[in-house]
Amino acid sequence: MKLSFLRESVAAAVLLGMMGAAGMAAHAADKVVEVTAIVDHAALNAVRDGVRDQLKADGFEVGKNLKFEYQSAQGNTGTAAQIARKFVGDRPDVAVAIATPSAQALVAATKTIPIVFSAVTDPVAAKLVNSWQPSGTNVTGVSDMSPLENQLGLILKVMPKAKRIGVIYNPGEANSVAIVTEFKKLLAAKNMTLVEAAAPRTVDVASAAQSLVGKADLIYAPTDNNVMSAFEGIAKVADQTKMPIVAADTSAVKRGAAAAIGLNYYDLGRQTGKIVTRILNGEAPGKIAAQTSTTFELFVNPKAAGRQGQPLSADLIKSAKTVIE
């Protein structure tokens, strides 16, 4: 009986060991996607959520077969570099970088881990890829290239007589510099001028807006991470000085912009998530060309426009996808 009991105990231990090993193997087979953004604000958070939701739709679900980790650099490029080094040590199946500074930090940190960038205006200017063709490297992604011609058209619909357009941006962010450079060319062709106000830190945004008073007819708020993180400071100045705001990020309209035409950043995240899925399923990132989005939406805020001294036309309000009451 003792021998029988010993055999049964050994068999049970072997079975438990096999079950444990199977559990560990199943856990080891889970895909790992690590996501980082330079800062938390509505647009970038929407990209993150879109990536996660697309992965779930494609069969990669958190808690079942996917480990999904998110870290924000809180607007600090040094922290972005630290996060990138952590991701390199973790060796995820895919690393997703939201916004230019985070993408640059990751690309500088690894040449082997697949990187998918998102919400990067000009990945070529940011030196993430050499061209819009498949890179042949570990990097691909989705651009949030602003429809600058459409945004200039919107500016002229909001304020037809505008000649001096103020822009607040971070001169240290390649994304923003690319926008300002192209926008200046567009304005020059219309005999309009761009008045620049630098905001290298989020705490500089409100004072940059104040510096435009008397120098600009209207404020253009690009998809600059500092600008979007501290947008309420711009809105306060605009309301007080009767200087309307036209934004490139539609989420800014709820926060006090008169109007915006831009991307749906959640949809941009879903588009990014589809690329992540392709890589998780075995496709090499270097064979996937960087993409752009061509779907843009018009948001208007008639009350904000009124506060800023420039009521919107009935036709413009009627043409908007979303009207903020």
Side-chain angles (χ1 to χ4, degrees), residues 33 47-56 58 60 68 94 96 116-118 142 266-281 291:
V33 174
V47 173
R48 176 199 62 205
D49 295 345
V51 170
R52 185 185 58 233
D53 291 352
Q54 184 61 49
L55 288 174
K56 182 177 180 180
D58 291 338
F60 296 101
F68 188 95
V94 180
V96 178
V116 179
F117 60 78
S118 190
V142 183
Y266 176 78
D267 289 347
L268 192 76
R270 296 292 295 247
Q271 185 177 351
T272 305
K274 290 178 182 179
I275 294 178
V276 176
T277 292
R278 290 168 65 180
I279 295 171
L280 292 177
N281 286 332
Q291 302 175 5

Side-chain angles (χ1 to χ4, degrees), residues 41-295:
H41 64 65
L44 302 191
N45 292 347
V47 173
R48 176 199 62 205
D49 295 345
V51 170
R52 185 185 58 233
D53 291 352
Q54 184 61 49
L55 288 174
K56 182 177 180 180
D58 291 338
F60 296 101
E61 187 171 353
V62 177
K64 291 188 177 180
N65 60 351
L66 175 69
K67 180 182 176 183
F68 188 95
E69 179 182 335
Y70 170 75
Q71 291 200 18
S72 168
Q74 301 299 325
N76 189 304
T77 54
T79 303
Q82 291 176 0
I83 292 171
R85 289 193 293 271
K86 177 188 180 300
F87 282 11
V88 171
D90 293 343
R91 299 200 63 77
D93 294 287
V94 180
V96 178
I98 304 173
T100 303
S102 287
Q104 289 174 322
L106 264 176
V107 169
T110 177
K111 305 300 180 188
T112 56
I113 296 171
I115 297 171
V116 179
F117 60 78
S118 190
V120 171
T121 297
D122 191 338
V124 178
K127 299 182 179 179
L128 304 177
V129 291
N130 289 325
S131 73
W132 289 91
Q133 300 302 313
S135 68
T137 68
N138 61 320
V139 183
T140 186
V142 183
S143 163
D144 65 344
M145 183 75 75
S146 293
L148 293 179
E149 291 187 3
N150 293 350
Q151 288 165 0
L152 177 54
L154 178 59
I155 285 171
L156 293 174
K157 288 178 181 178
V158 171
M159 182 178 274
K161 294 183 179 180
K163 290 294 182 183
R164 304 171 301 168
I165 309 303
V167 62
I168 303 165
Y169 73 106
N170 175 7
E173 188 172 328
N175 162 55
S176 301
V177 173
I179 290 172
V180 169
T181 300
E182 290 304 311
F183 203 50
K184 190 180 297 184
K185 295 177 184 177
L186 282 177
L187 291 176
K190 297 281 188 180
N191 293 317
M192 300 168 70
T193 58
L194 190 67
V195 184
E196 300 177 29
R201 303 170 299 168
T202 55
V203 295
D204 300 322
V205 169
S207 59
Q210 191 66 46
S211 75
L212 293 172
V213 177
K215 299 177 183 178
D217 304 315
L218 176 146
I219 296 175
Y220 170 64
T223 53
D224 178 282
N225 291 302
N226 285 352
V227 168
M228 288 300 114
S229 295
F231 186 79
E232 282 73 15
I234 302 174
K236 184 177 180 180
V237 171
D239 290 352
Q240 291 173 344
T241 61
K242 305 299 181 185
M243 189 164 44
I245 307 168
V246 170
D249 182 347
T250 55
S251 69
V253 179
K254 292 181 180 179
R255 301 165 66 187
I261 187 166
L263 300 171
N264 181 310
Y265 276 84
Y266 176 78
D267 289 347
L268 192 76
R270 296 292 295 247
Q271 185 177 351
T272 305
K274 290 178 182 179
I275 294 178
V276 176
T277 292
R278 290 168 65 180
I279 295 171
L280 292 177
N281 286 332
E283 196 166 348
K287 294 183 178 181
I288 304 172
Q291 302 175 5
T292 59
S293 176
T294 56
T295 304

